[in-house]
Amino acid sequence: MIRFVKPEEWGKVEGSVADMPWLVAKERFVGFFKDPRRGSGLFEHVEKNHGCNAANATDWAVAMNSVITILNTIPDGATEAEVMNAFGL
């Protein structure tokens, strides 16, 4: 389970990966794809569609937590197609 982000984590770039759930979310998403570059590009698309490129910390946290909620429901053995379906891609 990926923990939810807090508004005060917006823009955080220092610390261990475990301290940055948004980065854990991206790594988990990309990990479902055979071609990591493809998964990375799709994650950027998901971020944009969910509003994760928000103008303030509160909106960013709400958007990022919606992505994390979906990721937390996808089983480890999911296929690329199942992940894309879960995100409506």
Side-chain angles (χ1 to χ4, degrees):
M1 292 286 289
I2 303 167
R3 76 165 175 80
F4 291 126
V5 299
K6 301 172 189 162
E8 56 268 20
E9 294 173 300
W10 186 45
K12 182 178 179 182
V13 294
E14 296 180 14
S16 71
V17 171
D19 293 335
M20 294 184 245
W22 56 270
L23 187 56
V24 174
K26 181 172 185 174
E27 288 181 354
R28 176 164 164 73
F29 182 94
V30 171
F32 283 114
F33 294 85
K34 293 182 178 119
D35 179 350
R37 292 169 297 179
R38 180 167 175 248
S40 184
L42 285 172
F43 188 77
E44 290 168 3
H45 180 73
V46 164
E47 283 182 312
K48 182 178 177 186
N49 283 353
H50 280 262
C52 297
N53 299 329
N56 65 68
T58 301
D59 290 347
W60 169 80
V62 169
M64 196 67 233
N65 286 335
S66 73
V67 170
I68 290 171
T69 297
I70 294 169
L71 281 170
N72 282 341
T73 64
I74 301 172
D76 289 338
T79 65
E80 292 180 15
E82 290 169 326
V83 174
M84 290 179 72
N85 185 55
F87 283 96
L89 299 172

